[in-house]
Amino acid sequence: MNIGFGNVVNTAKIVAVVSPDAAPVKRMVQNAKQIGKVIDATQGRRTKSVIITEEDHIILSALQPETLVKRFHFNADELKGETDEL
């Protein structure tokens, strides 16, 4: 799934897509930065969503969570069509 600026994420590994505004999310991002588990895909723009993966990596995106969820569902529908053809 494209998360902006040509960056892509394996949707099978996504656990959650959340807004970065809540204090617990800010703490989670800060802790992940300290242990080197943050991937910043914002290209220097403001972080609008935080993607949490199965491996506890935190991915920062400049796209709204709603936009990412729409792309997630579009990709899931697209993949479902491919498996139906097999």
Side-chain angles (χ1 to χ4, degrees):
M1 171 179 74
N2 186 328
I3 61 167
F5 309 109
N7 300 300
V8 294
V9 174
N10 181 355
T11 55
K13 303 290 183 179
I14 294 175
V15 174
V17 178
V18 295
S19 172
D21 300 329
V25 176
K26 288 180 182 179
R27 280 193 300 271
M28 186 185 332
V29 170
Q30 206 54 10
N31 291 339
K33 280 183 181 178
Q34 291 175 351
I35 60 174
K37 289 216 168 199
V38 170
I39 300 167
D40 187 348
T42 62
Q43 301 292 87
R45 291 174 175 76
R46 181 174 171 261
T47 299
K48 293 184 182 174
S49 62
V50 176
I51 303 165
I52 303 164
T53 67
E54 286 179 353
E55 293 83 18
D56 295 326
H57 282 88
I58 305 291
I59 303 168
L60 309 178
S61 174
L63 298 180
Q64 294 286 345
E66 296 82 13
T67 303
L68 295 176
V69 169
K70 286 178 188 175
R71 290 181 182 191
F72 181 83
H73 288 298
F74 176 77
N75 287 341
D77 291 343
E78 199 173 80
L79 287 175
K80 183 182 174 202
E82 287 178 12
T83 57
D84 289 345
E85 293 173 5
L86 297 175

